[in-house]
Amino acid sequence: MPTHDRPRDETHLHLDQGQTETTLSLPPGHYKLTDQFADGEEHSYGHMMSHGINITVK
């Protein structure tokens, strides 16, 4: 299992309290949002358990 730990900062949102949704406030621009699943120690399960989307905020 890969261990790609992710920091806790303004660009890495952790939903580790059972949340099923959140709200983002982003200025206009192009962004890539990526879901990444991890274990209880926040080690990534790898690319097979992640998904990204590209969005444009106008």
Side-chain angles (χ1 to χ4, degrees):
M1 172 181 339
T3 57
H4 304 290
D5 297 332
R6 299 293 175 232
R8 288 184 178 269
D9 60 26
E10 64 277 356
T11 63
H12 298 91
L13 180 64
H14 290 244
L15 300 179
D16 55 1
Q17 300 298 312
Q19 304 95 313
T20 59
E21 61 184 57
T22 191
T23 300
L24 300 175
S25 296
L26 300 169
H30 300 284
Y31 299 91
K32 181 172 185 174
L33 305 179
T34 303
D35 278 340
Q36 186 167 36
F37 291 91
D39 66 16
E41 294 180 5
E42 299 188 8
H43 297 129
S44 170
Y45 285 123
H47 72 279
M48 295 300 291
M49 292 292 290
S50 68
H51 178 74
I53 61 170
N54 294 307
I55 64 167
T56 301
V57 177
K58 296 183 178 186

